[in-house]
């Protein structure tokens, strides 16, 4: 009855999926429809083929507004350096997971760290991660103070989790 945010929605969906014998995969897509739902099959295909447990989209940075690409460049760079990865996009809100991957993921965060938190869990659980290109359409502009606050929050999460990952301090 009350909107509790994206993190709680994902927890609810994952719990439903775990208890549904017919469900095989979950596709997550941001509610603002910046991503095209018809492209979901691109994310599901590697799961169906058994090539991945966790698939995320990656955006074409040449088609992304500077205000988004700059912040994402910083997040992606720090993430890749700290986690020893080479992901093209660590903040895409379009992803798909197998039921088995969902069973392994225990920590679902809220706010703008959800995508990075899912990446961290996938790495810690040794899930096979694949990225596929997706289209994105930006509609709204965020005001600068809230954008900076959100950006800094995501960066702090990445740095803290990356240091814990490197030092193998996991809960």
């Amino acid at each position: 009855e009350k909107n509790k945010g994206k993190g709680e929605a994902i927890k609810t969906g994952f719990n439903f999926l775990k208890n549904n014998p017919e469900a095989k995969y979950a596709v997550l897509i941001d509610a603002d429809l910046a991503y095209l739902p018809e492209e979901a099959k691109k994310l599901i295909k590697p799961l169906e083929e058994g090539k991945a447990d966790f698939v995320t989209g990656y955006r074409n940075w040449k088609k992304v507004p500077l205000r988004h690409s700059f912040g994402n460049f910083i997040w992606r760079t720090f993430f890749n350096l700290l986690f020893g990865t080479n992901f093209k996009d660590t903040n895409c809100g379009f992803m798909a997971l197998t039921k088995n991957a969902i069973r392994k993921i225990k920590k679902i965060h809220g706010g703008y760290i959800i995508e990075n938190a899912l990446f961290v869990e996938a790495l810690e659980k040794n899930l096979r991660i694949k990225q596929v290109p997706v289209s994105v359409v930006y509609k709204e502009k965020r005001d600068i103070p809230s954008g900076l606050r959100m950006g800094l929050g995501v960066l702090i999460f990445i740095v803290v989790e990356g240091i814990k990952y490197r030092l193998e301090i996991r809960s």
Side-chain angles (χ1 to χ4, degrees):
E1 292 184 24
K2 183 181 177 194
N3 182 347
K4 295 182 181 179
K6 184 175 175 179
E8 287 300 315
I10 290 172
K11 285 180 194 176
T12 301
F14 281 6
N15 286 332
F16 174 80
L17 183 83
K18 288 180 204 175
N19 297 314
N20 183 333
E22 295 178 24
K24 295 179 183 178
Y25 314 110
V27 175
L28 309 178
I29 186 169
D30 286 347
D32 65 0
L33 294 179
Y35 304 102
L36 306 176
E38 59 269 21
E39 289 190 350
K41 57 188 164 225
K42 291 167 77 172
L43 283 83
I44 294 172
K45 186 176 180 187
L47 303 177
E48 290 176 326
E49 294 173 344
K51 294 180 179 177
D53 307 301
F54 177 65
V55 179
T56 70
Y58 68 86
R59 295 165 277 187
N60 178 344
W61 297 111
K62 293 176 182 173
K63 296 182 178 181
V64 174
L66 182 61
R67 67 184 184 276
H68 291 280
S69 60
F70 178 70
N72 277 278
F73 170 78
I74 293 170
W75 296 334
R76 184 176 64 254
T77 300
F78 271 87
F79 192 99
N80 285 330
L81 285 172
L82 290 167
F83 288 91
T85 57
N86 191 28
F87 295 123
K88 296 176 181 180
D89 192 343
T90 57
N91 290 81
C92 181
F94 201 9
M95 48 186 66
L97 303 89
T98 63
K99 185 186 280 192
N100 187 47
I102 289 167
R103 286 187 175 123
K104 292 180 179 183
I105 291 175
K106 304 296 181 203
K107 295 180 273 185
I108 307 287
H109 296 268
Y112 289 97
I113 64 169
I114 289 172
E115 291 82 10
N116 284 283
L118 287 171
F119 263 106
V120 171
E121 280 276 297
L123 289 169
E124 288 179 348
K125 303 298 194 262
N126 296 310
L127 299 178
R128 295 169 301 152
I129 303 169
K130 183 163 176 63
Q131 294 193 292
V132 297
V134 295
S135 305
V136 65
V137 179
Y138 289 93
K139 298 170 185 140
E140 67 177 59
K141 291 185 180 182
R142 187 178 319 280
D143 64 272
I144 292 174
S146 68
L148 289 174
R149 185 172 54 249
M150 179 268 299
L152 187 58
V154 172
L155 183 58
I156 290 169
F157 175 82
I158 291 168
V159 170
V160 169
E161 292 299 314
I163 291 170
K164 289 185 337 189
Y165 184 82
R166 286 287 185 172
L167 298 176
E168 295 191 31
I169 303 170
R170 300 184 184 130
S171 51

